[in-house]
Amino acid sequence: HDVVAGIATLDGATGTLDRLVWINGMQIMQDGRVLLATEEMPQAIYGAGRTDTIGNRLRYSSHLDQAVWAASPGGFFDVVGHSNRAISGVGSMGPAFTVHFPDRIALARPSGQDDPPLTIEPSAAYVGTQSHRTLQNDSTGHEVFFGDDGGIWVFDGQGVNKLTDAQELFARFYSGPTFKYSWRSSVDTIKDEYWLVLPAALNLSYSDIWSVNTKTGKAARWFVNANI
């Protein structure tokens, strides 16, 4: 899921820019399809400096040919009715996928059909991630992530539980234009530790590293000077 990109699409009839697409996460489905979580905006809206029209989509390739996206059984469906905010990530929990918004998490489960291959249902989670790069699965299969409120949370498939606060990281999340996509995270399933790293970049001269035990919530923090 370590993917983020901006893609501009052209109107086939006029050759003009008509849509901007941000890819905020990627997963591979059990049948080999590529699944992308996208935030899409018509160019007319973006060009006018407006962000009120946001299209949240899950795009999937064909399971017969991963290069086929526009023809069935490849395609997309809009994710509506779950949040008014932009889709921020897609993770995995067993055969299902977690669809994150900053204030919600929905679940995408196999539909048993070729097209569409997934159905979306809500969960009781009232917070989601702000960066897909922070999504990790712990030793129990639950999902750990850095939340939109500055906490480190765990999602069990229905609800969420906060492990610890990391407000200092949250403040830096918005302190630079690329920080949202600079995160690195990992899980040590032997020690039951979730690691979150904000690398040195822009106005940050050191790497900020947090670890939290996913069972006890005990947290620790380190700073690594970028000049060493």
Side-chain angles (χ1 to χ4, degrees), residues 92-106:
S92 63
M93 293 187 71
F97 297 96
T98 57
V99 183
H100 281 253
F101 306 88
D103 60 348
R104 293 285 188 277
I105 302 175

Side-chain angles (χ1 to χ4, degrees), residues 37-50:
T38 66
E39 171 193 351
E40 306 189 17
M41 186 182 301
Q43 170 63 13
I45 300 297
Y46 183 81
R50 291 165 51 196

